[in-house]
Amino acid sequence: MAAFTLVVLCVLFAPLAPIQAAGTTPQAQAVARLNELRAHAQVPLVQVDSALQRAAAGHAAYYAVNGFTGHAQDPLSFGFTGVTPADRMKAAGFTGRCSGESASTIGKDPIAAVEALINSVYHRTVMLHPALTLVGFGQSDNGSVFNLGGCLVGTPDVDRLYTYPGNGQTAVPPEFLPRTERPNPLPGRDGFVGSPISIGTSPWEKEPIEITDIEIVDQAGVSLPYLRVDDDGWAYFMTQLPLGAGQTFTVSVSGNAAGSRVGSFARSWSFSTQSAYVPRTIQLRFVKGTPRLLTEYVAEEFACYSQTTGQTPTLAGNRVTIPCYDVVDDSDWYYAVPFLAEFRRVGGIGALGYPLTRAITFEGKPTQFFQKGVLQWQPESQTFAYLNVFDILSAKGFDSVLATKYLIPRPADTSGDDGLDWEEIVARHVALMDSAPAISSFVLGTPNWLERYGLPMGVQDYGNVIVVRAQRAAFQWWRVDTDFANAGEVTVVNSGEIAKELGAFVK
């Protein structure tokens, strides 16, 4: 590292969009992706309208010359086609009575532009509104424009409740950053919240839908607190923390859409979020020295590791691109939750192994999965706890596969704990390690061992190795040399990797 200087250029999410057929136009890609997402909401699909296309292309061309200006144009600027979206659509020849415009600073990438506008509040209302069934799309390096219109004859005949994300939808973004939308739907909120959940009807009602009850529940059964925003009669709900990646959520809502034929309603549906195992991507530039591949980037307040991503860093010119899971203390996702400080305090890679995910929400709390354990922030005490990984796997019915595939012994009968005080219970469980003194010494010699590993729960002699199972970890005492351990050595089982392989917690 001393031979050159590294400068972090950017941190990006891996793309969520499906791969599009080579050779399709940006317009075709944008419209196809928009219709994919409208279908999840059971909204009528859009088709390209020539007048709206002229209006959108003209506004995108204005961006190319003047930079991104949102929805406005200056009559004195080059490329002027109309001050407002309505002016531009009318000038282009559109005669419908309903119209709207969504604009994004994302240029060059039509798929990303669609997804960013859908994963918002005010812009989603336009992008998914059932009354808007015609579209035009324009894009330049400085931004993208969607002009939508409808109501050529009247409002849609189908007047129903439209919910998004849709029932059974997968790969939904877990998070939304309100300040990236103009106007900001949550001006008092600095960091990320959950991806918006919207409920709307067909008419352009200004009065919000009356919601008498709503509950957003994660797959662990935790009811998540939320924030509400209303837009043109549609109601939007965002969980206070980002939704957990790689998990399934159920929304149950009841209320009254008095401004439409829907009237009173009660709905329940489920959707799943993008995989928890999608890494971030960082790009590093070699300012001096000979460029070379790096598998990780570690600084005082930031660490990012590629070893468990399943993806390979690449080197092009003087830049190295690293797909990695980061460990940080302060982020827009979880504010000042000190994951990196705790990771380093307990021994870093030597104690926890490499990260398997970025920080995500699990059981309603900030959580990060590592090879040898799972850190979970406890807001009430402002401290970290370790998930009882093997207890949870047991409750989910994985004891048989743990024993046969991974040589993790089944938990011993705990009925003998009945009537004992806590110290007696601990002593009884510690005694399970008497047949494996090397493991007992390793466990009891670890600072705060009970907090880190939990109670010993079972032991089994497999011949070449003796294994002790605890609530949060498992330990192997080897009698023979292996590729990763010498005879007599104690190793800690990668409990997090086992949980990942079993798909037990997150996907």
Side-chain angles (χ1 to χ4, degrees):
M1 293 286 287
F4 51 85
T5 301
L6 293 176
V7 178
V8 178
L9 299 181
C10 57
V11 180
L12 305 169
F13 285 114
L16 307 181
I19 296 174
Q20 300 294 320
T24 57
T25 66
Q27 181 197 64
Q29 293 180 43
V31 173
R33 186 58 176 153
L34 176 57
N35 275 334
E36 283 181 318
L37 299 180
R38 285 176 71 97
H40 285 302
Q42 299 185 349
V43 173
L45 304 186
V46 296
Q47 59 184 351
V48 175
D49 176 83
S50 58
L52 294 176
Q53 180 59 34
R54 286 191 295 273
H59 197 37
Y62 183 89
Y63 288 165
V65 176
N66 301 286
F68 185 79
T69 60
H71 301 294
Q73 289 190 13
D74 183 346
L76 301 179
S77 296
F78 186 80
F80 173 78
T81 57
V83 173
T84 69
D87 293 338
R88 296 189 291 274
M89 290 183 229
K90 182 178 179 181
F94 183 67
T95 59
R97 294 187 294 111
C98 300
S99 64
E101 180 176 272
S102 281
S104 169
T105 56
I106 298 174
K108 299 183 180 179
D109 189 340
I111 302 301
V114 172
E115 292 175 342
L117 292 168
I118 295 292
N119 191 37
S120 70
V121 175
Y122 305 123
H123 292 80
R124 179 190 294 178
T125 310
V126 174
M127 298 290 279
L128 293 188
H129 204 288
L132 303 177
T133 56
L134 302 173
V135 69
F137 173 74
Q139 190 169 60
S140 71
D141 289 354
N142 290 327
S144 303
V145 182
F146 292 84
N147 284 151
L148 291 99
C151 304
L152 298 177
V153 178
T155 56
D157 292 333
V158 179
D159 191 2
R160 55 179 297 277
L161 204 66
Y162 298 94
T163 58
Y164 189 91
N167 187 38
Q169 187 171 343
T170 60
V172 174
E175 68 282 306
F176 167 58
L177 187 57
R179 67 170 180 260
T180 61
E181 184 172 14
R182 288 189 286 175
N184 184 341
L186 293 170
R189 190 80 175 189
D190 291 331
F192 281 87
V193 294
S195 184
I197 298 166
S198 56
I199 304 162
T201 58
S202 298
W204 288 99
E205 294 296 330
K206 297 301 181 184
E207 291 299 319
I209 290 177
E210 178 188 350
I211 304 294
T212 55
D213 187 45
I214 182 169
E215 188 173 33
I216 305 168
V217 178
D218 70 9
Q219 64 186 31
V222 176
S223 183
L224 305 175
Y226 56 81
L227 305 162
R228 176 175 176 169
V229 175
D230 295 303
D231 180 47
D232 279 342
W234 284 29
Y236 286 82
F237 297 89
M238 289 152 279
T239 54
Q240 292 187 12
L241 290 180
L243 294 169
Q247 298 169 58
T248 299
F249 299 84
T250 299
V251 184
S252 300
V253 61
S254 59
N256 183 27
S260 74
R261 294 193 295 272
V262 172
S264 298
F265 61 85
R267 298 285 190 279
S268 183
W269 74 98
S270 298
F271 63 88
S272 300
T273 48
Q274 172 200 6
S275 173
Y277 303 113
V278 175
R280 302 190 193 285
T281 301
I282 62 170
Q283 287 187 337
L284 306 174
R285 179 166 62 90
F286 289 78
V287 177
K288 59 183 179 180
T290 303
R292 62 184 176 86
L293 274 180
L294 298 170
T295 57
E296 60 188 57
Y297 177 68
V298 179
E300 182 179 353
E301 297 180 350
F302 179 87
C304 214
Y305 301 95
S306 70
Q307 287 85 347
T308 55
T309 64
Q311 300 182 24
T312 304
T314 58
L315 180 65
N318 68 340
R319 295 171 188 264
V320 60
T321 300
I322 309 177
C324 58
Y325 299 123
D326 62 346
V327 189
V328 298
D329 282 341
D330 192 4
S331 70
D332 284 331
W333 278 260
Y334 299 106
Y335 307 103
V337 176
F339 281 104
L340 183 58
E342 179 69 7
F343 175 66
R344 288 172 171 165
R345 184 188 72 82
V346 300
I349 293 168
L352 285 175
Y354 292 107
L356 296 175
T357 67
R358 60 187 186 271
I360 64 172
T361 306
F362 183 74
E363 298 177 335
K365 299 175 181 178
T367 306
Q368 188 154 17
F369 289 73
F370 294 84
Q371 288 177 301
K372 299 181 185 300
V374 182
L375 283 176
Q376 187 174 77
W377 181 247
Q378 308 300 309
E380 302 83 5
S381 61
Q382 295 287 288
T383 59
F384 282 99
Y386 292 87
L387 283 189
N388 290 341
V389 173
F390 286 115
D391 283 358
I392 297 172
L393 289 174
S394 182
K396 289 178 176 289
F398 286 108
D399 280 337
S400 292
V401 70
L402 286 173
T404 57
K405 184 175 181 179
Y406 301 102
L407 301 185
I408 305 297
R410 294 176 181 274
D413 181 9
T414 58
S415 60
D417 294 343
D418 295 344
L420 301 180
D421 62 29
W422 175 243
E423 279 139 8
E424 291 171 325
I425 291 173
V426 171
R428 182 174 181 273
H429 283 260
V430 166
L432 291 172
M433 298 188 291
D434 287 349
S435 61
I439 292 178
S440 181
S441 296
F442 179 93
V443 171
L444 299 180
T446 301
N448 301 313
W449 70 268
L450 190 56
E451 172 191 328
R452 173 67 184 87
Y453 300 130
L455 291 170
M457 297 298 292
V459 61
Q460 181 72 44
D461 189 337
Y462 292 99
N464 289 339
V465 63
I466 296 178
V467 181
V468 170
R469 168 180 176 157
Q471 292 176 294
R472 302 163 191 166
F475 311 93
Q476 302 158 318
W477 180 23
W478 295 96
R479 289 198 175 103
V480 299
D481 290 339
T482 70
D483 292 339
F484 53 86
N486 297 320
E489 187 176 352
V490 174
T491 55
V492 181
V493 173
N494 287 349
S495 57
E497 285 197 340
I498 291 174
K500 176 180 178 179
E501 187 172 331
L502 295 175
F505 297 157
V506 296
K507 302 295 186 182

